[in-house]
Amino acid sequence: MKLHAIASTVVLFLVSTSAFAQDSKTTQGSTNSKGEQASQANPFTTFNKIAYTRLKSILVSSAEKMPDENYNFKPTDAVRSFGQIVGHLADAQYNFCSLALGENNAGLKIEQTKTTKADLVAALRDAVAYCDKAYDGMTDASGAQMVKMFGMDMPKLGVLNINNMHDMEHYGNLVTYMRLKNIVPPSSEQAPAAQQKK
């Protein structure tokens, strides 16, 4: 990854913190005292999981919102189609989360083997369910364990942070494709409560 791409992703990630903060309030409002204690004991992994929960929701919603006939859409020949991005995101969940879990990557090659909306949505759902295990099982202590990624030593929590940044980077692609097809992306939809106040 280029430094510029990482910096851009971090900026996008930080801009989205208001949505993450809202998810955090919702999550905290539904937790019991044990959940609150875990949050206080593991602030880094708790925030990381809140961010991921938001990201996986808008990724899956985007895949579901785009009509089947637009899955081959690409603004130019030099970029991936909408469906290829969905497949790439599914592959990436296995790549990053298998490393965080200490497991072998399944290497499903979803981007190269799946083409229909139904198959790609199902693959993305399966991939985020796999990643749920990594985020759910991570603590600040276990997140400090070092692994090799991109040829360098990195803490497991760093791997999950990069997964979040990578998800946000490609969510930006999906948003552009949906806007070009006059589809409102999930992160721009108003919550039901906000709509009722009008």
Side-chain angles (χ1 to χ4, degrees), residues 152-173:
M152 60 184 163
D153 292 326
M154 184 175 299
K156 287 184 175 183
L157 184 57
V159 173
L160 295 184
N161 281 332
I162 289 177
N163 186 52
N164 284 349
M165 291 189 299
H166 182 260
D167 286 346
M168 182 59 85
E169 175 186 358
H170 287 298
Y171 177 65
N173 299 138

Side-chain angles (χ1 to χ4, degrees), residues 54 61 65 171 179 183-192 194-195:
R54 171 69 174 160
S61 294
K65 282 191 84 167
Y171 177 65
R179 289 291 189 188
I183 298 168
V184 177
S187 56
S188 295
E189 293 175 331
Q190 289 184 325
Q195 290 174 348

Side-chain angles (χ1 to χ4, degrees), residues 125-184:
R125 284 183 172 279
D126 289 346
V128 297
Y130 176 76
C131 260
D132 285 346
K133 297 187 307 182
Y135 286 88
D136 290 344
M138 193 70 65
T139 65
D140 287 8
S142 65
Q145 295 171 359
M146 302 300 283
V147 293
K148 282 276 189 200
M149 185 170 122
F150 302 137
M152 60 184 163
D153 292 326
M154 184 175 299
K156 287 184 175 183
L157 184 57
V159 173
L160 295 184
N161 281 332
I162 289 177
N163 186 52
N164 284 349
M165 291 189 299
H166 182 260
D167 286 346
M168 182 59 85
E169 175 186 358
H170 287 298
Y171 177 65
N173 299 138
L174 298 179
V175 165
T176 301
Y177 288 32
M178 288 192 293
R179 289 291 189 188
L180 288 170
K181 292 296 183 181
N182 298 312
I183 298 168
V184 177

Side-chain angles (χ1 to χ4, degrees), residues 14-143:
L14 293 174
V15 168
S16 300
T17 54
S18 64
F20 298 142
Q22 182 61 40
D23 285 350
S24 173
K25 289 177 188 172
T26 303
T27 303
Q28 290 173 353
S30 63
T31 59
N32 57 24
S33 61
K34 287 183 182 177
E36 290 169 8
Q37 289 170 354
S39 172
Q40 292 170 359
N42 296 289
F44 299 112
T45 49
T46 298
F47 178 79
N48 204 24
K49 182 179 175 183
I50 290 167
Y52 178 69
T53 299
R54 171 69 174 160
L55 285 167
K56 73 177 184 178
S57 172
I58 59 177
L59 290 178
V60 172
S61 294
S62 298
E64 292 171 341
K65 282 191 84 167
M66 184 64 101
D68 205 351
E69 64 268 18
N70 293 334
Y71 260 64
N72 288 326
F73 171 68
K74 52 168 77 173
T76 72
D77 288 338
V79 297
R80 291 178 170 108
S81 69
F82 185 91
Q84 287 171 321
I85 294 171
V86 172
H88 174 70
L89 283 163
D91 284 328
Q93 304 312 300
Y94 289 108
N95 184 34
F96 293 120
C97 291
S98 64
L99 187 56
L101 287 164
E103 298 178 356
N104 290 326
N105 182 357
L108 300 177
K109 299 187 190 239
I110 296 162
E111 181 181 351
Q112 289 82 24
T113 60
K114 307 287 184 194
T115 57
T116 67
K117 175 180 178 175
D119 286 346
L120 285 162
V121 169
L124 183 59
R125 284 183 172 279
D126 289 346
V128 297
Y130 176 76
C131 260
D132 285 346
K133 297 187 307 182
Y135 286 88
D136 290 344
M138 193 70 65
T139 65
D140 287 8
S142 65

